[in-house]
């Protein structure tokens, strides 16, 4: 059912605005957005749509296409208690962060695969934020919306994420990756010409979810902050590899490893941008591999399923592969030749079956547009 119709079925009136926002994959620059680093994600073609209408009272009602039998009830007043459960907190958190003072009916339809590490939550937040920005003529820039949706996730949902996922969901451009400088939030669009070189980015959802997802992320963030404090720098962004090596013994071995990942990953992002611009895809693929090794060995956020995707893709002709997103499960990407797609997917399926893992899911997506109002 079309979302406008679904809205009408749930609420008995028509929506005033419909907005959409995409999920993302990150080409490179992992676990460094919260260290003021550089990241290079792109938006995938799967989106979440939100249809919204103002109400005359202060009630909030939310229905999701994925759970049409349930209607979430809240109110503008209740937002101050930061209530709600599960997915509805992402919607309520955005209404709270944007300081909306009027009741709302919302119908959301999330088509970004859930739990795959492809930022379905940022897509939901950004589609609601884009719709509300339009509906209330708030005049917020996409950078401001990224900050506000991150605030919703940090303070309302209480997930300590960085600003990468929301930024790319809001600012991405068809055909380009977004080079985001997380220190000053400046951006550049970097062309991604895989298709014309006969290449594609295979996205493999391992369907693994290891228990470390929440605590592990916060612990990594805290290690970077304590390493920065001990070395007298504002963030990992200000740290040079030479200083890190010289001051090795001021840090615990874990802090040293975390910092080494962050510093080396920032350097890899800069090189990756050069390689992409020069269409040197073999060298670009090698940087993906180095990123994975660093995430696996220094940042220790990979897991056996992600490593198996990367190793199997590489053993079957990929130009490079790595885990993406927070880690401990979720998805990996592999840059592959078009003609190898069948062979590599089969090899990964077989490796998973042999290891007794759940069958993985495969996606591929060209870099797509960021959030927009569609009606
Ligand atoms: C999650 C967070 C992002 C980022 C990545 C790791 O997706 O939401 O802010 O930190 O992990 O790069």
């Amino acid at each position: 059912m079309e979302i406008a119709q679904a809205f009408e079925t749930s609420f008995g009136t028509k929506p005033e605005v419909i907005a959409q926002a995409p999920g993302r994959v990150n080409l490179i620059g992992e676990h460094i957005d919260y260290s003021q680093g550089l990241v290079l994600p792109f938006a995938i073609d799967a989106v979440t749509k939100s249809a919204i209408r103002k109400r005359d009272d202060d009630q909030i009602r939310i229905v999701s296409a994925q759970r049409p039998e349930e209607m979430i009830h809240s109110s503008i007043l209740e937002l101050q208690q930061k209530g709600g459960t599960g997915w509805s907190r992402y919607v309520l958190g955005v209404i709270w962060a944007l300081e909306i003072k009027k009741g709302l009916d919302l119908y959301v339809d999330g088509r970004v695969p859930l739990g795959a590490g492809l930022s379905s939550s940022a897509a939901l937040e950004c589609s609601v934020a884009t719709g509300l920005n339009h509906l209330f003529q708030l005049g917020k820039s996409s950078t401001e919306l990224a900050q506000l949706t991150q605030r919703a996730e940090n303070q309302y949902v209480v997930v300590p994420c960085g600003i990468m996922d929301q930024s790319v969901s809001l600012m991405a451009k068809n055909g380009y990756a977004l080079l985001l400088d997380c220190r000053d939030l400046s951006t550049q669009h970097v062309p991604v010409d895989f298709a014309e070189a006969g290449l594609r980015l295979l996205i493999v959802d391992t369907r693994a979810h290891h228990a470390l997802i929440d605590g592990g992320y916060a612990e990594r963030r805290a290690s970077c902050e304590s390493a920065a404090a001990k070395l007298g720098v504002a963030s990992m962004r200000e740290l040079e590899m030479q200083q890190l090596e010289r001051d090795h013994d001021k840090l615990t071995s874990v802090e040293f490893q975390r910092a080494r990942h962050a510093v080396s990953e920032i350097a890899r992002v800069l090189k990756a941008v050069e390689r992409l611009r020069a269409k040197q895809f073999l060298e670009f693929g090698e940087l993906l591999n180095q990123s994975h090794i660093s995430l696996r060995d220094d940042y220790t956020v990979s897991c056996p399923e992600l490593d198996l995707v990367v190793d199997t893709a590489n053993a079957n002709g990929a130009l490079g592969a790595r885990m993406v997103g927070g880690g401990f499960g979720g998805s990996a990407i592999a840059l592959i030749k078009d003609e190898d797609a069948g062979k590599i997917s089969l090899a990964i399926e077989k490796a998973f079956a042999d290891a007794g893992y759940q069958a993985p899911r495969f996606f591929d997506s060209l870099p797509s547009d960021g959030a927009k109002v569609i009606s």
Side-chain angles (χ1 to χ4, degrees):
M1 200 185 338
E2 218 211 303
I3 188 164
Q5 252 178 301
F7 182 98
E8 206 169 336
T9 307
S10 294
F11 300 116
T13 86
K14 292 190 190 320
E16 290 177 276
V17 64
I18 303 174
Q20 69 175 40
R24 63 98 188 93
V25 286
N26 187 16
L27 284 174
I28 195 160
E30 212 66 86
H31 275 281
I32 49 166
D33 57 348
Y34 50 77
S35 290
Q36 300 198 341
L38 296 158
V39 295
L40 191 66
F42 73 67
I44 56 173
D45 56 13
V47 299
T48 290
K49 291 183 183 168
S50 294
I52 316 177
R53 184 178 184 91
K54 289 184 218 133
R55 293 174 55 88
D56 292 331
D57 54 20
D58 85 331
Q59 297 301 299
I60 300 172
R61 300 187 298 178
I62 317 170
V63 176
S64 148
Q66 283 63 47
R67 294 181 186 209
E69 65 291 345
E70 136 188 89
M71 185 179 282
I72 308 284
H73 291 266
S74 185
S75 71
I76 295 294
L77 194 67
E78 279 173 48
L79 291 181
Q80 300 321 312
Q81 272 86 57
K82 302 201 175 123
T85 51
W87 63 270
S88 73
R89 286 176 308 150
Y90 292 92
V91 178
L92 295 169
V94 172
I95 303 171
W96 167 82
L98 267 59
E99 298 181 11
I100 303 297
K101 299 291 177 225
K102 242 179 144 20
L104 297 166
D105 286 335
L106 301 101
Y107 188 96
V108 298
D109 186 359
R111 299 298 169 95
V112 179
L114 288 181
L118 300 175
S119 284
S120 56
S121 48
L124 176 57
E125 292 158 359
C126 295
S127 72
V128 172
T130 301
L132 293 175
N133 194 34
H134 181 83
L135 188 57
F136 290 93
Q137 300 183 346
L138 302 176
K140 305 275 187 211
S141 67
S142 40
T143 300
E144 287 169 322
L145 289 181
Q147 289 168 315
L148 288 163
T149 45
Q150 184 199 16
R151 182 156 177 256
E153 189 153 341
N154 289 169
Q155 295 183 24
Y156 199 102
V157 190
V158 199
V159 170
C161 66
I163 199 163
M164 167 172 75
D165 305 341
Q166 293 83 0
S167 300
V168 65
S169 183
L170 289 158
M171 299 175 208
K173 198 163 121 183
N174 191 5
Y176 294 82
L178 184 78
L179 174 63
L180 172 71
D181 183 331
C182 301
R183 183 165 56 186
D184 61 11
L185 301 185
S186 60
T187 58
Q188 283 178 45
H189 294 284
V190 180
V192 175
D193 298 320
F194 296 150
E196 69 185 45
L199 302 173
R200 71 175 73 168
L201 197 74
L202 182 68
I203 305 169
V204 187
D205 174 14
T206 62
R207 300 172 85 183
H209 305 281
H210 293 286
L212 265 171
I213 290 178
D214 296 334
Y217 186 92
E219 187 269 324
R220 301 306 182 280
R221 229 187 133 138
S223 296
C224 287
E225 283 161 13
S226 63
K230 287 182 184 174
L231 299 179
V233 292
S235 70
M236 291 294 106
R237 179 68 177 278
E238 316 297 328
L239 190 59
E240 299 285 335
M241 197 56 96
Q242 264 182 335
Q243 183 192 352
L244 176 62
E245 275 161 8
R246 193 187 61 221
D247 290 346
H248 192 157
D249 51 7
K250 292 189 183 159
L251 303 179
T252 65
S253 60
V254 167
E255 284 164 346
F256 175 76
Q257 279 180 271
R258 305 298 189 239
R260 185 165 59 187
H261 165 71
V263 174
S264 64
E265 185 76 354
I266 292 170
R268 277 188 291 273
V269 174
L270 289 170
K271 282 192 206 147
V273 169
E274 279 173 28
R275 298 308 191 188
L276 268 188
R277 290 196 196 279
K279 302 189 202 281
Q280 292 171 326
F281 298 119
L282 272 177
E283 293 82 353
F284 178 81
E286 185 46 40
L287 291 165
L288 298 185
N289 288 333
Q290 289 171 13
S291 171
H292 185 75
I293 291 167
S294 179
L295 287 157
R296 184 191 67 194
D297 298 347
D298 272 350
Y299 226 64
T300 61
V301 289
S302 190
C303 64
E305 294 87 345
L306 286 166
D307 293 342
L308 189 58
V309 174
V310 168
D311 294 344
T312 311
N314 279 331
N316 286 276
L319 284 74
R322 64 176 207 86
M323 55 154 281
V324 290
F328 311 112
S331 292
I333 53 172
L335 183 61
I336 63 173
K337 295 188 194 118
D338 280 333
E339 68 262 27
D340 288 342
K343 176 178 86 173
I344 292 182
S345 312
L346 278 176
I348 294 171
E349 261 170 11
K350 178 168 186 316
F352 268 54
D354 290 349
Y357 299 152
Q358 210 185 155
R361 290 190 291 180
F362 297 93
F363 310 97
D364 61 52
S365 172
L366 293 169
S368 305
D369 272 329
K372 54 185 149 198
V373 170
I374 51 176
S375 86

